[in-house]
Amino acid sequence: MKKKGFTLVELLAVIAILAILVIMALPAVLNMFTQARIDTFENEVKTVYRTAQQNYLLNGGAAVSYGSSGATGCTKQLDLTGNNKLHYSIKIDGSGKVTSLIANNETYGYSKTDSNGFSIESIDVGTSSTIKKASEATPSCN
């Protein structure tokens, strides 16, 4: 009489092979999630940049500093929807150039200052030289 089914050794071999495959795939999956968080943060920083420039143009083109409720010394806030954890400060000079942008979301931070101004294309949060710990990028309009 023949029995149908798998032996214990065969089942253990399949489980071992699956475990090895999971161990090999796990770092790639974790990197994917980390990169997605960084990309989301970069998009939020670029949204702050765009919104600040739009408000600058709508409000007569005078030098202005915008900041979130977590930033000190800022007189105006941007009307942003979405992530309430994003703290930012952004300064625009009288000629419409963004001279300072500091942002953090309690996980990542970004800080860029250039007295000559910089464009949105130069914002690349994903590089190891620009992404910081959130505590290293404390927004302030002072």
Side-chain angles (χ1 to χ4, degrees), residues 22-23 30 39 42 53 75 79 94 103 108 136 139:
V22 167
I23 290 171
L30 293 177
D39 291 345
E42 182 173 327
Q53 285 218 313
T75 56
D79 186 22
Y108 302 111
E136 294 176 8

Side-chain angles (χ1 to χ4, degrees), residues 84-138:
N84 293 335
K85 294 181 181 179
L86 184 68
H87 302 290
Y88 62 89
S89 66
I90 184 167
K91 295 179 185 178
I92 302 176
D93 67 11
S95 63
K97 295 178 183 173
V98 175
T99 58
S100 173
L101 174 57
I102 303 169
N104 77 51
N105 69 353
E106 299 175 6
T107 303
Y108 302 111
Y110 176 80
S111 177
K112 183 163 185 161
T113 304
D114 186 347
S115 59
N116 295 324
F118 57 91
S119 67
I120 195 168
E121 290 82 20
S122 67
I123 297 174
D124 186 10
V125 173
T127 61
S128 59
S129 61
T130 57
I131 196 162
K132 304 175 183 320
K133 294 179 186 174
S135 60
E136 294 176 8
T138 306

Side-chain angles (χ1 to χ4, degrees), residues 12-26:
L12 289 175
V14 169
I15 290 171
I17 291 170
L18 289 174
I20 291 170
L21 291 174
V22 167
I23 290 171
M24 289 173 45
L26 193 60

